[in-house]
Amino acid sequence: MTERIVLAYSGGLDTSVAIGWIGEATGAEVIAVAVDVGQGGESLETIRQRALGCGAVEAYVADASDEFADEYCMPTLKANALYQGHYPLVSAISRPVIVKHLVKAAREFGATTVAHGCTGKGNDQVRFEVGIQTLGPDLKCIAPVRDLALTRDKAIAFAEEKGLPIETTKKNPYSIDQNVWGRAVETGYLEDIWNSPTKDIYDYTATPEFPPAPDEVTISFEAGVPVAIDGIKVTPLQAIKELNRRAGAQGVGRIDVVEDRLVGIKSREIYEAPGAMALITAHKHLEDITIEREQARFKATVGQRWAELVYDGQWFSPLKRSLDAFIEDTQKYVSGDIRMVLHGGQAIVNGRRSDTSLYDFDLATYDTGDTFDQSMARGFIELWGMSAKVASGRDIRVAGK
Ligand code: ARG
């Protein structure tokens, strides 16, 4: 029987050419799998037909947009995950869900190998292949751009020679990856890290310099997950989409960073994640009133480690699973409403309320009715400073000798 290879298919030039390229290089039949993670753009049926037109023996579209929002974006939100303090893991969290569907398709169609369109310089090859090794340890991996010398020029020449139903003249100077959680743009003119991004780079966000009137929004959460916007019930996917629209219109969530790739390269990336950044801001502010101080401090460290693991392709690892259990436990009381103003590139919280809040007005107030006994503070400070005071006494004693 002819060997079969499942290809992660985006509909773009590289993966379209990869179908025939893999076929010629290996003699295998190629099954194209496109996964809907809310990337928008062309209809998935158009993409499916193109795969068949490019020689795929089967083409399959997996609708994973709700699954992606529920099982990948929501854990990222609960962790307030920002890699290196900036990047909400847009591409990093989409790879594991794509891998899940690739492995499933490999089983259904009797494939022995999974292929993806990544280069040999980035993080995504690692995320795909580590994921496949974990979920389908018997499956092999192949990356035509990296392993079969499929360069851009060769891809264009191949598409023209074979008359493939794909545009080869439209030159996009950037490498773009997008889904409902955000959009990532790199390469080209951006590789000079002093160059400021031009307007044409952005798609999910409007220019924050000339914003429309301020937009006040109330987001309701239950156990760390958004459940309503302005009182209207939403699913996680709807919440992200609605905030992409409203925060995007105000230019919220533009990020311009040089980040550390797993492979040791520093690289410039422009991100747009209006919904994700608005949600993370609101969620963090709700945690501020509902999570106990020590748990909150520790959770910040856990969230940072969680972001590094996910960035580094360890989504399916035991440590990531253990950290998920911790984070999930912290979310029990993260319920309530956050009111925020979206305006001019910023999402600023201006009100919060929760039935499970730890904010105690009677303890906090400086007005009459204060229940806090201030006389307790003196003794507390005395003991709190004791250890440092003893050490400083020793410093003075030693210096005096
Ligand atoms: N640097 C980001 C990451 O590793 C995004 C990579 C996505 N690719 C792109 N073509 N911009 O997660």
Side-chain angles (χ1 to χ4, degrees):
M1 214 179 97
T2 320
E3 215 196 322
R4 302 189 120 192
I5 296 181
V6 163
L7 168 70
Y9 184 64
S10 71
L13 174 69
D14 295 312
T15 52
S16 293
V17 168
I19 295 170
W21 195 269
I22 293 172
E24 288 192 1
T26 65
E29 290 178 342
V30 176
I31 294 141
V33 174
V35 182
D36 185 356
V37 283
Q39 61 269 52
E42 288 185 308
S43 95
L44 287 154
E45 183 50 26
T46 308
I47 290 178
R48 207 181 75 82
Q49 289 303 332
R50 184 175 306 135
L52 294 171
C54 289
V57 294
E58 308 260 9
Y60 166 88
V61 172
D63 177 5
S65 49
D66 276 299
E67 177 187 0
F68 178 59
D70 294 347
E71 296 171 31
Y72 297 80
C73 301
M74 290 305 106
T76 307
L77 175 62
K78 289 175 184 174
N80 300 317
L82 296 173
Y83 177 65
Q84 294 187 319
H86 300 291
Y87 167 44
L89 300 172
V90 174
S91 304
I93 58 170
S94 76
R95 304 315 175 194
V97 69
I98 295 171
V99 163
K100 230 179 100 184
H101 287 276
L102 291 173
V103 171
K104 201 166 139 227
R107 300 294 179 229
E108 270 167 33
F109 294 104
T112 54
T113 303
V114 174
H116 60 77
C118 304
T119 71
K121 289 178 76 169
N123 300 310
D124 286 327
Q125 53 172 343
V126 182
R127 296 170 185 150
F128 273 117
E129 292 178 34
V130 170
I132 289 158
Q133 282 170 13
T134 318
L135 299 189
D138 53 307
L139 296 170
K140 287 174 287 193
C141 289
I142 185 168
V145 175
R146 182 191 66 194
D147 306 330
L148 304 174
L150 178 59
T151 60
R152 252 283 135 138
D153 294 343
K154 285 193 205 161
I156 292 170
F158 187 93
E160 281 167 0
E161 183 196 320
K162 307 274 169 180
L164 298 183
I166 173 105
E167 183 92 63
T168 55
T169 48
K170 228 175 53 206
K171 255 190 79 187
N172 190 332
Y174 305 112
S175 165
I176 299 170
D177 182 48
Q178 65 187 53
N179 59 56
V180 75
W181 196 240
R183 188 164 173 271
V185 187
E186 63 180 338
T187 71
Y189 164 86
L190 297 168
E191 284 172 357
D192 179 337
I193 60 177
W194 183 247
N195 281 345
S196 67
T198 47
K199 286 194 172 57
D200 61 303
I201 284 176
Y202 297 105
D203 184 42
Y204 284 15
T205 54
T207 305
E209 283 89 352
F210 307 102
D215 183 5
E216 193 171 73
V217 59
T218 300
I219 308 172
S220 308
F221 289 85
E222 262 168 39
V225 171
V227 293
I229 292 179
D230 291 332
I232 296 163
K233 274 188 71 166
V234 287
T235 63
L237 181 64
Q238 289 166 337
I240 302 165
K241 281 187 172 170
E242 172 74 356
L243 288 162
N244 273 342
R245 189 178 66 73
R246 288 171 66 175
Q250 296 283 346
V252 169
R254 288 188 173 184
I255 301 155
D256 178 343
V257 281
V258 174
E259 72 191 24
D260 282 302
R261 283 190 194 162
L262 176 58
V263 297
I265 301 170
K266 285 193 188 287
S267 74
R268 167 55 153 343
E269 195 95 44
I270 305 295
Y271 298 108
E272 299 180 272
M277 294 309 285
L279 281 167
I280 289 173
T281 304
H283 176 260
K284 173 72 179 63
H285 280 255
L286 187 57
E287 287 192 341
D288 289 344
I289 61 166
T290 52
I291 298 192
E292 183 271 335
R293 183 188 62 197
E294 294 309 312
Q295 202 181 19
R297 288 178 175 178
F298 193 69
K299 181 177 179 288
T301 309
V302 171
Q304 201 180 334
R305 190 72 191 94
W306 190 96
E308 288 163 357
L309 284 171
V310 171
Y311 185 90
D312 290 347
Q314 299 288 326
W315 181 273
F316 298 108
S317 71
L319 178 55
K320 147 77 170 49
R321 211 181 316 138
S322 301
L323 298 188
D324 275 333
F326 170 82
I327 293 169
E328 195 53 46
D329 184 63
T330 64
Q331 298 300 293
K332 189 169 167 197
Y333 295 117
V334 185
S335 303
D337 301 333
I338 292 291
R339 195 180 58 225
M340 69 199 310
V341 174
L342 309 167
H343 191 57
Q346 291 193 288
I348 296 184
V349 171
N350 66 1
R352 63 283 280 161
R353 66 182 171 203
S354 165
D355 293 338
T356 44
S357 167
L358 296 170
Y359 177 80
D360 185 331
F361 180 90
D362 294 335
L363 283 177
T365 186
Y366 283 96
D367 293 344
T368 43
D370 173 7
T371 59
F372 185 86
D373 176 2
Q374 297 198 27
S375 70
M376 297 187 305
R378 287 182 76 97
F380 165 73
I381 296 164
E382 201 56 41
L383 297 186
W384 180 246
M386 181 75 80
S387 163
K389 188 173 158 187
V390 171
S392 121
R394 185 261 322 266
D395 293 349
I396 291 165
R397 202 171 67 239
V398 172
K401 273 191 183 154

